[in-house]
Amino acid sequence: MSSTPLALFVGLPHPTISDDEFALFRETNPLGLFVGRRNQREPEQTKRLIERFREAVGRDDAPVFTDQEGGRVQHLDAGPWPLFRSFGQFAELAHRDFDLGKKALRLSSQAMGAMMTELGLSSGCSPVLDLVFETTSAVIGARSFGPDPDFIAALGREVVDGLLETGNMPVMKHIPGHGRATLDSHKERPVVDASRQTLIATDFKPFLALKDTPWAMVAHVVYSAYDAELPASISPVMHDVIRNDMGYDGVLISDCIFMESLSGTLPERVAQVLDAGFDIALHSHGDVRESEAAAKAARPLTDTALKRIAAGKARLGNLKIDFRAVHAEVEDMFASVPVS
């Protein structure tokens, strides 16, 4: 096993790690694991799964991510865990009472972060900073705070800081903005034809405001004003836009390479992400055969990526809270100012 992890997150089809998967992870040393609903049944099982992955790669701090935004995107949605509200609901609360909305979102983010940290999960890949319009693909919907970039940035700050305080890594997504995409990048390749001036003034703006967020996930969306052919996640041009024009120096991970906005085999997709200059390819599904193929196409993390990862870890706090009690406090806030 290489001492430097591969620039790759792997996934699993089941709630346990098989002996073959354990051996593969031990041999190839992927940076991290991405777990979904299919992998998480109850707290002790989730903890064991995470511990077994970390044992396989020989790193107690190996990152394990999930999708845990709230609303319809929360992979900890089985009976043992409280259900969290969508960003759209927090936006509605904030429109009625801005200070209350921000406070509720900060507390909810702390509760969600504490819940994940207690399980051993490193991140829920949140917040979503995409704008939403009438024409936006339904894949975003209530995952967004709305169409106003300044409003999104203000609420997104509460999520980023609340997660950091509880030792959970925020990952802003989908940089540089999925909101003008009218197609679902899980199924098709969206093309955004807005001008550079429009994108900078709108879609890019929340990411610019929160560019101190340690990690960001890159959209599988074509921005034709910059690169007419390639989605941002595999575009060297868009890599340079994010790094240089937007000034983002945190960890850049692709959205899941299984999404059909990309083309080619899974190994080719891994290579496309890394060849474009991004730090990490996210391979969040897959069986052992697919994970082996992805690992062969990956390469060790660069020294620069390792420094970015370390800088992000140094920002994590250690706030301890009763996440169930705080979640209940948030629900009381919503009850005081009813929203849909």
Side-chain angles (χ1 to χ4, degrees):
M1 178 172 68
S2 169
S3 59
T4 302
L6 292 178
L8 180 71
F9 269 65
V10 292
L12 296 166
H14 304 297
T16 57
I17 294 177
S18 69
D19 290 343
D20 287 344
E21 288 163 337
F22 186 92
L24 175 64
F25 300 156
R26 169 155 287 183
E27 177 186 355
T28 59
N29 192 18
L31 172 65
L33 175 69
F34 191 95
V35 291
R37 286 184 181 88
R38 64 191 174 280
N39 307 123
Q40 301 176 98
R41 301 290 174 77
E42 52 87 18
E44 291 308 312
Q45 171 268 323
T46 297
K47 290 177 184 178
R48 287 194 301 272
L49 177 68
I50 292 168
E51 289 167 358
R52 184 158 164 81
F53 173 74
R54 290 174 172 156
E55 179 188 355
V57 297
R59 287 176 281 117
D60 291 340
D61 62 348
V64 180
F65 287 8
T66 191
D67 266 330
Q68 184 68 16
E69 301 165 8
R72 63 182 171 83
V73 180
Q74 50 186 322
H75 288 179
L76 296 167
D77 62 354
W81 294 296
L83 295 178
F84 291 82
R85 290 179 179 263
S86 70
F87 289 153
Q89 289 176 298
F90 282 101
E92 187 176 347
L93 180 61
H95 280 302
R96 294 175 180 235
D97 185 329
F98 188 60
D99 289 338
L100 181 67
K102 287 205 303 178
K103 181 179 180 181
L105 185 56
R106 181 67 156 262
L107 289 174
S108 183
S109 300
Q110 290 175 343
M112 192 180 291
M115 181 180 76
M116 288 187 284
T117 299
E118 186 177 299
L119 290 168
L121 288 164
S122 312
S123 177
C125 294
S126 183
V128 174
L129 300 184
D130 303 316
L131 280 63
V132 68
F133 306 98
E134 289 185 2
T135 56
T136 300
S137 167
V139 74
I140 301 298
R143 299 168 67 190
S144 168
F145 291 116
D148 182 337
D150 294 321
F151 185 76
I152 291 172
L155 295 185
R157 172 59 65 191
E158 300 302 322
V159 180
V160 168
D161 290 351
L163 291 171
L164 283 172
E165 286 162 352
T166 55
N168 207 256
M169 187 63 71
V171 180
M172 60 179 183
K173 61 188 185 188
H174 305 84
I175 198 170
H178 205 296
R180 291 186 188 276
T182 59
L183 301 177
D184 181 353
S185 54
H186 291 81
K187 302 173 183 177
E188 302 174 82
R189 176 170 291 186
V191 177
V192 169
D193 288 325
S195 69
R196 296 187 182 194
Q197 292 81 359
T198 297
L199 290 169
I200 291 167
T202 56
D203 294 61
F204 291 8
K205 200 171 182 181
F207 297 98
L208 289 164
L210 297 180
K211 66 181 181 181
D212 62 325
T213 305
W215 284 60
M217 182 176 288
V218 188
H220 293 319
V221 175
V222 173
Y223 303 88
S224 63
Y226 293 94
D227 184 334
E229 296 183 5
L230 297 177
S233 54
I234 59 171
S235 168
V237 173
M238 291 309 300
H239 171 268
D240 290 346
V241 169
I242 293 168
R243 289 293 188 207
N244 301 325
D245 297 1
M246 300 178 73
Y248 183 69
D249 194 37
V251 181
L252 284 171
I253 182 170
S254 74
D255 208 341
C256 178
I257 62 169
F258 275 80
M259 293 164 63
E260 290 310 312
S261 177
L262 303 187
S263 59
T265 65
L266 290 175
E268 288 169 345
R269 297 180 188 196
V270 171
Q272 289 166 8
V273 168
L274 301 180
D275 287 346
F278 296 104
D279 295 311
I280 301 161
L282 173 58
H283 175 269
S284 66
H285 296 74
D287 56 24
V288 67
R289 177 185 56 80
E290 291 167 324
S291 293
E292 182 177 13
K296 286 180 179 178
R299 63 203 68 161
L301 287 161
T302 65
D303 289 343
T304 302
L306 288 167
K307 289 176 182 175
R308 289 178 179 133
I309 292 168
K313 285 177 58 180
R315 303 251 328 264
L316 295 174
N318 193 36
L319 177 65
K320 304 295 184 186
I321 61 171
D322 180 340
F323 68 83
R324 295 183 188 279
V326 174
H327 178 266
E329 183 180 352
V330 172
E331 289 301 301
D332 289 341
M333 292 178 179
F334 274 90
S336 71
V337 183
V339 299
S340 59

